[in-house]
Amino acid sequence: MVHLLLFVIYLAFISLGLPDSLLGSAWPSMYGEFGVPVSYAGIISMIIAVGTIISSLQSDRLTRKLGTGKIAAISVAMTATALFGFSISHSFWSLCLWAIPYGLGAGSVDAALNNYVALHYASRHMSWLHCMWGVGASLGPYIMGYALTGGQSWSMGYRYIAVLQIVLTAVLLFSLPLWEGRAAAEENKSGQGTEKALSLQQIVRIPGAKEVMFTFFCYCAIEQTVGLWASSYLVLYKGVSAETAAGFAGLFFIGITIGRGLSGFLTMKLHDVSMVRLGECIILIGITALLLPFNENGTLVGLILIGLGCAPIYPCIIHATPANFGADRSQAIIGAQMACAYVGTCFMPPLFGLIANNISVALLPLYLLVILALMFVMHELLLKRVKQERTLTIDLQIHSEYSEEGE
């Protein structure tokens, strides 16, 4: 039954990835139909991101109240409804309205499933599950492309994904007994049955919480900035053709997906901290390759290396959360991490857009290097704070034991 539940979670992670790349692949066909500028995709993306941030911060409260299984089923159902709403929309503002449940549905399930896997499964499963997200994110554009090249409109692409989400909702509903069968064990392990949900103010006061939130902010800033601006960098600075650049940029995401598959095997030998540091070193080598005056093949290697370096960081930091902060606080911390991740996604790629527009797109490697340095510092500070907290806890326990013996 444990393996069956894990299979359901794998499907859920594929489902999380399916809609994430749809807007980008469909927008060139959408914006003309709605009579809006191409830049309006950013409005929809921001609405989705804000909803995701809100629901991520509420994930601790909702998961304690409903449980992981019900949260997953409700969230996927909301996403399916929103995607179907996209498919029947005839105005830009209706897209904006449907983006609200889209974002709210995505955040809670992401945080809840990540926490559940961090508590109950080995690190390799976290890496492989995020690899499944990459599979879903890769399949989304292909499904949209199938609809468009088959003589159908973009709305059918959204409808196909909505149907897949509805099927997954049914699977999650039928799997609820599996989740409920482990509910008591989950409460005992995570403390969700005895502790109240933590507010954001309480979370940031936990030693190491601010550092891990900044680490996530920086990681997603790197991932999304490369994903959005790699093609423009290659075309405008390296002189690569637009067609070749598109293929090169896609290899970055392929690097992440393959890297997470490989990371699952490496975690059998290396612990989470070593995997994060390894990823940071590989990203540094990739950025260095972009900075050096190589030809387009050298730049291609750099992008692949950045993708491979990104691969272990996200899943390994999440998996280490219960060990770093305690199982009773992991859901709250992971929710806050997710929220910061989406904040980084929202603001850092557009910030580089301003830099590229007003200075030069050639600054992309330096921009990434600054963010990587900040991420490295924050992760090391996180480890230092956690170590100090553990030492303090042990000292207090020893002092308490001596005091009881003295009495």
Side-chain angles (χ1 to χ4, degrees):
M1 300 299 283
V2 172
H3 294 298
L4 181 57
L5 181 56
L6 184 61
F7 175 73
V8 172
I9 297 173
Y10 271 72
L11 288 178
F13 266 76
I14 293 174
S15 168
L16 282 173
L18 277 172
D20 283 359
S21 51
L22 272 187
L23 183 62
S25 58
W27 190 247
S29 303
M30 294 172 67
Y31 77 91
E33 181 177 324
F34 292 117
V36 296
V38 67
S39 61
Y40 273 35
I43 297 175
I44 298 174
S45 180
M46 288 286 285
I47 294 171
I48 293 172
V50 170
T52 305
I53 292 168
I54 292 170
S55 60
S56 294
L57 292 174
Q58 294 299 315
S59 65
D60 185 29
R61 191 182 315 277
L62 293 172
T63 304
R64 290 175 188 274
K65 185 175 182 179
L66 299 175
T68 306
K70 290 180 181 177
I71 285 293
I74 293 170
S75 297
V76 175
M78 287 177 64
T79 305
T81 303
L83 291 172
F84 184 79
F86 267 54
S87 74
I88 60 173
S89 294
H90 298 290
S91 70
F92 173 76
W93 298 113
S94 65
L95 290 177
C96 292
L97 289 174
W98 285 113
I100 296 172
Y102 187 146
L104 292 174
S108 292
V109 64
D110 201 0
L113 287 176
N114 274 293
N115 182 61
Y116 191 87
V117 174
L119 286 172
H120 297 292
Y121 294 98
S123 182
R124 62 182 180 273
H125 290 297
M126 185 68 80
S127 292
W128 289 335
L129 286 166
H130 283 272
C131 177
M132 292 300 102
W133 174 89
V135 171
S138 301
L139 285 174
Y142 281 106
I143 294 173
M144 181 59 71
Y146 171 80
L148 294 174
T149 57
Q152 299 171 321
S153 68
W154 59 267
S155 62
M156 284 304 300
Y158 270 100
R159 203 162 300 171
Y160 288 144
I161 302 295
V163 170
L164 291 175
Q165 300 283 66
I166 291 169
V167 171
L168 179 61
T169 301
V171 171
L172 289 169
L173 288 173
F174 282 115
S175 72
L176 283 179
L178 297 177
W179 298 91
E180 292 167 358
R182 298 192 65 180
E186 184 177 346
E187 287 185 358
N188 291 334
K189 191 168 185 179
S190 67
Q192 288 182 350
T194 57
E195 300 290 336
K196 291 183 178 180
L198 299 176
S199 67
L200 182 59
Q201 187 176 12
Q202 291 171 317
I203 292 170
V204 297
R205 287 203 296 262
I206 297 172
K210 292 188 291 294
E211 288 78 7
V212 78
M213 290 164 70
F214 271 110
T215 301
F216 256 68
F217 174 92
C218 293
Y219 168 78
C220 282
I222 291 174
E223 179 187 295
Q224 295 300 315
T225 300
V226 174
L228 184 61
W229 290 103
S231 291
S232 299
Y233 174 79
L234 292 170
V235 173
L236 299 175
Y237 180 63
K238 292 289 186 176
V240 178
S241 68
E243 294 79 10
T244 305
F248 279 15
L251 287 172
F252 165 72
F253 291 104
I254 293 173
I256 292 178
T257 304
I258 294 174
R260 284 178 178 164
L262 295 174
S263 295
F265 294 102
L266 284 175
T267 55
M268 298 178 188
K269 298 292 184 180
L270 301 175
H271 53 71
D272 290 325
V273 173
S274 297
M275 292 295 295
V276 173
R277 287 171 173 165
L278 176 62
E280 290 170 338
C281 290
I282 296 173
I283 292 174
L284 178 60
I285 295 171
I287 293 173
T288 303
L290 295 185
L291 284 168
L292 294 174
F294 293 143
N295 58 20
E296 64 180 42
N297 290 328
T299 305
L300 169 62
V301 171
L303 287 174
I304 294 174
L305 286 173
I306 294 173
L308 289 171
C310 285
I313 295 175
Y314 193 102
C316 287
I317 293 177
I318 292 177
H319 188 265
T321 302
N324 287 336
F325 298 99
D328 58 321
R329 299 185 292 192
S330 63
Q331 181 66 74
I333 296 290
I334 287 177
Q337 289 174 179
M338 296 290 178
C340 284
Y342 292 117
V343 171
T345 299
C346 276
F347 294 104
M348 297 307 283
L351 176 60
F352 179 74
L354 292 175
I355 293 172
N357 188 53
N358 293 287
I359 305 176
S360 173
V361 74
L363 294 176
L364 177 62
L366 293 176
Y367 185 78
L368 298 175
L369 192 61
V370 170
I371 300 173
L372 176 64
L374 180 59
M375 180 172 71
F376 174 80
V377 170
M378 286 298 152
H379 184 248
E380 295 303 313
L381 283 175
L382 160 67
L383 300 176
K384 182 179 178 180
R385 298 281 187 272
V386 168
K387 185 178 180 180
Q388 290 174 342
E389 181 70 7
R390 286 174 181 165
T391 302
L392 179 60
T393 301
I394 292 171
D395 289 343
L396 290 174
Q397 288 175 345
I398 294 173
H399 179 72
S400 177
E401 289 173 0
Y402 275 117
S403 297
E404 290 176 0
E405 289 177 3
E407 292 176 0

